[in-house]
Structures are given as structure tokens and as C-alpha cells.
Amino acid sequence: MIPDLNHIRLDRLPVNKDRSIQLSVLRTDLIHPVISGNKWFKLQYYLADAIKQGYKTVASFGGAYSNHIVALAAAAKLSGLKSIGIIRGEGGTSPTLQEAQQWDMKIIPVSREAYRDRQNIAALFPDHEKIYWVDEGGYGILGAKGASTILSVTDCSEFSHILCACGTGTMIAGLIMGSSECQKIIGISVLKNNRQLEESIAGLLPESMHNRITCIHDYHFGGYAKHPGHLIDYMNDAYKRTHIPTDIVYTSKLFYAAEDLIKGGYFGHNANILIIHSGGLQGNRSLAKNTLCF
Ligand SMILES: *Cc1c(COP(=O)(O)O)cnc(C)c1O
């Protein structure tokens, strides 16, 4: 099955009518069960650039459950490129990496220490100059440009606020580029105390857009990929109410934040809010069976 942008749709969610707030979700998770959401968008211009420059192989970095790695494996294969994944830690046999291998990605596990020094790995790699290297998580200007096209899949001009989850900040940079100045773009950081986030986002944007960066740092639930019981409870409850599945790393924290901010009166009267469901559901396979009701 090949990823298909035609599967993306807008879901309208009910909210308390008296405050006249509207809430919708852009379902980029529906592109494909594994290769979903923002990673697909972020990769498109890197791959086009690699092909244009005559590269035959792309490589990147990630953990054993990385959405980015599996999306790169598929996107590279479908673009006629070979791919290499440099993987942090020993977790060589996760379902995510198995899937990446099915897309013919060459998986190279490295120790956590070596991974920390990954720029060096790239430099020492045999034939490294023949490989097109994509940063961890697809961070970079081409990634942001790719993410900016998320908002052109369907008409999003009606929305006053657009909320997304932030890891590297590449997607939110793209959403800022791809939206109009009167729309407010709000990023929910999934990392704890990532005070470099705003700077990383600014690094991908022209200076005239820096005043449009808004990040909220209160919904990390303990840190990257941490998923305490009350987050799992929320995911199950949210699924029962909305029939929308979320993932433990990004979108559950985003959805929780959106609902909490609405309850707390963060948005003004008549706010018309769009949540970007950026996918990532395959990462839930790291959970024990039956943890989630979906
Ligand atoms: C990677 C990812 C993000 C974060 O995107 P960045 O561009 O790194 O900020 C958000 N949601 C999902 C599902 C992701 O896989």
C-alpha cells in the first residue's frame, strides 16, 4: 500500500457551544498506517533535491521507533533511491525497523554514545560524499518547505488558530510559512525544557516571520516519549469521544493541550481552531498489548 494524500480529511469535533469555539482536526495520519503524517510531507523536497543532485542513496538518523526513519525508508524506495538508517541504541528488531527493512532500508545500529556524535559518523561513513544526508527528524529548511504544503491539501483559510506538536520544530516552521499572517500558529513542545525550540524554528524562517512563533512548553508529560498512566487514560477517553486515535509521543499531548487550553479560556470568542494530526500512530506499537482500546 502506497501513501495517498487523498485520504486526508477534516474532522469537525463538538465543543461547548456557548463559547462558540469550533474545533477541527486535519487527519494527515490517514495517508498510510505506518508512513503517516508530517514526516511524509517533510521528506518530499529532500528527496527531490537528492535526485536533482544525482544522489542514489539517502541516509538519516533516529531511534528504534522513529516515525522519520520508517517514512524515509518508504519515501526513498518509492522515489527510486536507496536508504540507510543510522539507529540509536541496540533495539535492532522493533516493528518500526522491520518495516523500514521491508522498504529495503539498510539499518545500522550504533551505540548511544556514537549516536550523540552522529555528524562524525556521517563524516566517517564509507562513501559518505556519495550519500545525501538528512538531519535527524528531517530538521531543515527543505523539511519546513515540505511541511508548508500540509496546509494546501485542503482549504485551511477559515481557521483562526492552528495547533501542532513540536519535536525539532520543522513542521511548525512550515505551517507558519504556509499560513496567512492573521492565523495564529501554536506549537506544543513534546520535549521537557527544550528552550532551544523557538530558536530552532526561527533558524528555518525569514526574520519577518519570527514574531509568529508561539510555543507552549507545559504539556510534555515528563519528557520526550514519556507516557504516564494519565496520558494513556486520556488517549483511551479521547478515542471513545472522537473516534480519533492518537500516539503516545506527539499527538496525544497535542490533543490534551488543545482541550486543556480551550477549557482554560486560552482562546477568544469565535476561535476556529485546527489541530494538525501529524500521524505517528505506528509508535504505539512499543506499548504492551491492550494498553490502548484502539
Ligand atoms: C516528528 C513528528 C512531529 C514533530 O515534528 P517536528 O517537525 O520535528 O517538530 C509531530 N508529530 C508526529 C506524529 C511526528 O512523527
Side-chain angles (χ1 to χ4, degrees):
M1 181 186 168
I2 285 175
D4 186 349
L5 298 189
N6 292 319
H7 292 148
I8 296 178
R9 61 163 201 254
L10 274 174
D11 283 355
R12 312 276 173 179
L13 297 184
V15 265
N16 50 340
K17 299 246 170 30
D18 47 317
R19 293 189 52 244
S20 68
I21 283 181
Q22 295 179 68
L23 184 60
S24 306
V25 181
L26 186 68
R27 299 287 308 276
T28 77
D29 57 308
L30 298 173
I31 296 173
H32 187 275
V34 174
I35 308 147
S36 70
N38 75 348
K39 296 301 183 285
W40 186 249
F41 286 91
K42 286 203 290 187
L43 286 167
Q44 55 186 335
Y45 291 131
Y46 288 119
L47 298 179
D49 188 41
I51 290 167
K52 195 173 126 207
Q53 293 193 49
Y55 287 93
K56 303 269 186 287
T57 306
V58 292
S60 195
F61 312 90
Y65 285 91
S66 167
N67 297 323
H68 166 64
I69 285 294
V70 71
L72 179 67
K77 173 86 180 175
L78 294 171
S79 308
L81 293 163
K82 292 192 185 125
S83 68
I84 299 171
I86 311 283
I87 307 301
R88 180 187 62 232
E90 317 309 326
T93 55
S94 71
T96 308
L97 296 183
Q98 284 172 24
E99 186 107 20
Q101 279 168 321
Q102 281 164 23
W103 290 99
D104 292 339
M105 178 177 263
K106 185 170 174 196
I107 298 290
I108 302 180
V110 299
S111 71
R112 284 172 187 272
E113 278 141 42
Y115 188 88
R116 242 172 262 139
D117 199 15
R118 57 188 171 279
Q119 296 314 332
N120 211 15
I121 297 184
L124 293 174
F125 210 82
D127 281 341
H128 77 97
E129 75 284 352
K130 290 194 188 152
I131 297 170
Y132 187 89
W133 293 91
V134 178
D135 258 358
E136 187 186 46
Y139 177 78
I141 288 175
L142 289 180
K145 287 201 171 132
S148 75
T149 64
I150 291 174
L151 294 178
S152 43
V153 170
T154 181
D155 183 5
C156 295
S157 58
E158 70 179 278
F159 298 104
S160 59
H161 297 76
I162 299 175
L163 270 67
C164 72
C166 291
T168 65
T170 307
M171 169 169 54
I172 190 174
L175 297 177
I176 291 172
M177 288 177 196
S179 57
S180 75
E181 246 171 86
C182 57
Q183 294 179 302
K184 181 145 188 175
I185 316 298
I186 301 165
I188 306 300
S189 176
V190 302
L191 284 90
K192 189 173 172 177
N193 299 331
N194 181 15
R195 293 292 158 190
Q196 288 92 55
L197 177 59
E198 285 87 343
E199 211 179 296
S200 306
I201 299 166
L204 303 176
L205 289 172
E207 203 156 334
S208 59
M209 293 184 184
H210 288 186
N211 61 353
R212 297 188 59 207
I213 301 169
T214 303
C215 298
I216 298 179
H217 294 268
D218 304 327
Y219 296 100
H220 55 74
F221 284 80
Y224 184 74
K226 294 280 189 304
H227 47 278
H230 60 283
L231 183 65
I232 301 287
D233 293 345
Y234 170 77
M235 290 167 76
N236 283 324
D237 173 61
Y239 183 77
K240 283 176 196 149
R241 288 184 287 117
T242 65
H243 303 288
I244 300 178
T246 53
D247 79 291
I248 50 172
V249 182
Y250 297 100
T251 51
S252 55
K253 296 176 185 183
L254 167 68
F255 277 61
Y256 183 98
E259 294 202 273
D260 196 53
L261 291 168
I262 291 171
K263 262 188 235 142
Y266 179 89
F267 302 99
H269 209 64
N270 290 333
N272 189 357
I273 304 163
L274 178 67
I275 300 179
I276 307 293
H277 194 317
S278 40
L281 298 170
Q282 65 89 21
N284 289 346
R285 296 185 293 191
S286 68
L287 296 172
K289 248 197 158 123
N290 301 326
T291 307
L292 297 171
C293 66
F294 53 87

